[in-house]
Amino acid sequence: MTTPPRDHLESDLARLTQWDQPAPGLWEHALQQEAPPRSAQRSPILRLPRASLAAAALLLIAVTIGIALLPSSTLQAPQRLAFSEPEQHRLEERTTFWSQSSQLPPPTAFREPTTSAAQPADALLDTPQEPARRLRQAAPSPAARHIIQRITVELHTDDVRAAFAQALLIPSEARGEYVQTSSMTGEGRDARAELTLRIAADRLNDALGELRELGDVHAERATGEDITTQIVDLDANLRSERRIEAELLTLLDKRADAPLADIMQVRDSLNQVRQRIEQLEARQQHLSRLVSLATVLVILRPPPDDDATLLDGALGEYFKNTLARSWRTGTLYLVDTTGLLITVIIGGLIWWIPAAAGAGFLIQRRRANIERGRI
Amino acid sequence: MDRPAPDGAAHTTDETLLSRFAQGDRCALGELARRYETALLGLARGLLDANADDACEAVQETWIRIIRYAHSFRSDSSFKTWIYRIVINQCHNIRERNRRAARSRARQRQSAPGRDAPPRHTALPPAEHAESLDRLRSEVSRLDPERRVLLLLCYHDGFTHQQAAEILGLPLGTLKSRLHATLTELRRRMPDEVRT
């Protein structure tokens, strides 16, 4: 409570802050200046709660930004493999070439792998004419090329499972053909199948013809790796090693009475030569198998959705499929937008936190200023 | 001191009226003005050397801010405290503006007193002690802004020391000690005015 004034000073102080005139109605002037007159009836839109309007506006902005920033490839159909156009004509040319080469001694008709048993040494002694004769024999004729063939075929078929089962039957076990790998996933429109077939090079064309009958050829690619030089080098190295083996065996026979140390040394050398021969023969067999059996990669898929919607005069089915496709697309959009928002929010936390702290500080300071009347 | 209110509005709190105004009820603001405008004008005039024009400007600016920030008022303090804080700040701003203007005129004319110019318009009520009132006003004007506000607020419209302390954001003990020191200073300057 205020203490009663002890003197006129305090009473005069009270009079300093008195206003004895009528109130001039300054509040009305302020109201006219600050707030324009409002209409009696508010717009129906403005009747909605402000929070709902703000939330709807934010959602619309977020969806717009999300659609604008979505990568264009996100919503496209799964990318098809970058195959070139079906190269049937090229394959025909190459097939012709293969047919010609197949008339020559077949790739598998290499010299039979030698056993470890020694051959008569005399027959293998070098003669002056022998190296040239062997060179002429070793050098392949221009048409006798050794090619590792790889074919990739993509087929579209409505019944992937049936085509897969039929493709498994194409390799002929009697000819040494086999299924190297096979896989089958999904059902119905999501079914996918892949097979890797090893087909005899001389029967490749026939096998490809059988495959083409399983569905529509979407893509076909053929590659050939020429390993003729490797084969020639391998043959030359093998002959050289065998000659050395024969010479060592001859030496061992002729010098049976040599000191034991010398004999042991010769035998060690002989073992090394034999080891090299076996390695070369293994490599030769491996390359032989690669050349003799072509690798055919078969990919089986259902035809794209666009094809499925083009039904003959079935407008209702088209409508249903279009709705289904639109629903799926919209769902993908929603998922991608949600993912984008999560990425932006989580990835930008290092910025959001300081920004939020700064904004919170500014808001608090402004509120404090309002409370203190510093406005 | 609040004047009698119209029927039906006497028991409505200031905060309720402000909330109604924030929702669009203009009459609520009128009721608040009926309660506070006269008192605000008196305090403003006391802070602005009895300049009625400046006092009206300060109070109008106060109402503008009340209208503008009615939605932002959080009721951490009472509405009365809030509105008095605003008017005190507005008086301070106007006073600073007048001082800068006076300095500018002084520099331009290379004359005029170093202190504030005399009020452009005063409305002194007829009083027995007009001269002493004038002198008191002059001495109060010479005080620094904080002590001047503290002094006038403590003797304004029946304010209690607690109310004044809340408006100024000071502890009650601090306010009393400062008030006592200010009064002592004034009495020292105006020994003739002290009558026990």
Side-chain angles (χ1 to χ4, degrees), chain A residues 240-261:
Chain A
S240 174
E241 294 295 336
R242 287 173 179 155
R243 181 172 55 79
I244 295 173
E245 181 191 33
E247 290 174 357
L248 289 174
L249 288 171
T250 304
L251 192 64
L252 206 59
D253 289 337
K254 285 187 175 180
R255 299 291 300 277
D257 56 346
L260 182 61

Side-chain angles (χ1 to χ4, degrees), chain B residues 5 7 18-19 32 75 87 94 100 102 104 120 123 127-128 130 135 141 144 146 158 160 162 167 169 185 193:
Chain B
D7 294 342
L18 183 66
S19 175
L32 288 171
S75 301
V87 75
I94 291 173
R100 286 193 296 269
S104 176
R120 296 188 298 262
E128 301 176 359
R135 188 180 173 193
S141 177
D144 60 84
E146 289 183 3
T160 63
Q162 181 62 43
I167 291 172
E185 176 69 18
E193 306 305 325

Side-chain angles (χ1 to χ4, degrees), chain A residues 133-359:
Chain A
R133 183 179 65 80
R134 287 185 179 171
L135 191 62
R136 285 193 299 274
Q137 286 180 351
S141 61
R145 309 296 297 181
H146 304 290
I147 309 294
I148 298 177
Q149 302 172 69
R150 296 186 179 91
I151 315 295
T152 304
V153 180
E154 183 179 356
L155 301 172
H156 286 175
T157 175
D158 291 327
D159 193 346
V160 172
R161 191 168 291 278
F164 176 75
Q166 293 178 15
L168 290 174
L169 301 176
I170 291 178
S172 169
E173 290 185 4
R175 299 177 65 87
E177 300 172 355
Y178 63 97
V179 178
Q180 184 172 320
T181 62
S182 65
S183 67
M184 174 80 187
T185 59
E187 292 285 342
R189 301 296 302 169
D190 297 328
R192 300 283 185 272
E194 287 188 10
L195 306 95
T196 302
L197 309 177
R198 305 301 303 277
I199 305 296
D202 55 354
R203 204 180 75 85
L204 182 61
N205 205 28
D206 293 337
L208 289 175
E210 295 178 39
L211 284 172
R212 294 189 191 107
E213 293 176 359
L214 299 180
D216 299 329
V217 178
H218 175 72
E220 191 168 332
R221 183 173 64 184
T223 58
E225 180 185 0
D226 190 346
I227 61 169
T228 306
T229 305
Q230 295 181 42
I231 297 294
V232 170
D233 292 342
L234 202 58
D235 286 344
N237 292 336
L238 201 52
R239 282 194 296 274
S240 174
E241 294 295 336
R242 287 173 179 155
R243 181 172 55 79
I244 295 173
E245 181 191 33
E247 290 174 357
L248 289 174
L249 288 171
T250 304
L251 192 64
L252 206 59
D253 289 337
K254 285 187 175 180
R255 299 291 300 277
D257 56 346
L260 182 61
D262 293 345
I263 294 175
M264 294 304 297
Q265 191 175 2
V266 171
R267 290 187 71 86
D268 289 341
S269 300
L270 191 60
N271 287 336
Q272 292 174 8
V273 168
R274 285 178 178 169
Q275 193 175 5
R276 288 197 295 271
I277 290 174
E278 288 174 0
Q279 290 175 352
L280 290 171
E281 288 174 347
R283 174 72 177 161
Q284 189 182 54
Q285 291 174 8
H286 173 67
L287 291 178
S288 170
R289 282 194 296 271
L290 288 178
V291 171
S292 64
L293 291 176
T295 303
V296 181
L297 172 63
V298 183
I299 301 172
L300 300 170
R301 289 181 179 177
D305 290 342
D306 291 341
D307 298 332
T309 59
L310 296 177
L311 300 177
D312 298 331
L315 182 61
E317 191 69 17
Y318 174 78
F319 181 72
K320 186 178 69 175
N321 291 331
T322 302
L323 282 184
R325 188 171 61 249
S326 300
W327 173 260
R328 186 166 178 269
T329 303
T331 306
L332 288 176
Y333 266 112
L334 180 62
V335 171
D336 289 338
T337 302
T338 305
L340 175 66
L341 288 176
I342 292 174
T343 301
V344 171
I345 290 171
I346 302 299
L349 269 180
I350 194 170
W351 303 109
W352 304 140
I353 292 176

Side-chain angles (χ1 to χ4, degrees), chain A residues 15 18 34 370-371 375, chain B residues 45 65 68 82 85 127:
Chain A
R15 292 176 65 185
Q18 287 180 354
E34 186 64 15
I370 291 174
E371 287 297 324
I375 48 180
Chain B
R45 193 178 72 172
R65 279 151 182 78
R68 190 179 295 170
W82 187 43
R85 285 175 177 172

Side-chain angles (χ1 to χ4, degrees), chain B residues 111-184:
Chain B
S111 61
R115 297 176 184 175
D116 295 341
R120 296 188 298 262
H121 169 71
T122 59
L124 295 177
E128 301 176 359
H129 311 286
E131 290 186 7
S132 65
L133 205 60
D134 240 354
R135 188 180 173 193
L136 177 61
R137 185 178 294 109
S138 175
E139 291 297 334
V140 168
S141 177
R142 290 172 56 191
L143 295 172
D144 60 84
E146 289 183 3
R147 289 198 295 174
R148 181 170 58 245
V149 170
L150 184 148
L151 184 67
L152 293 177
L153 197 61
C154 287
Y155 289 95
H156 167 68
D157 202 25
F159 266 41
T160 63
H161 289 176
Q162 181 62 43
Q163 290 174 327
E166 184 181 350
I167 291 172
L168 297 175
L170 295 173
L172 182 59
T174 304
L175 179 133
K176 288 182 177 179
S177 66
R178 291 185 185 180
L179 177 63
H180 176 73
T182 304
L183 286 173
T184 304

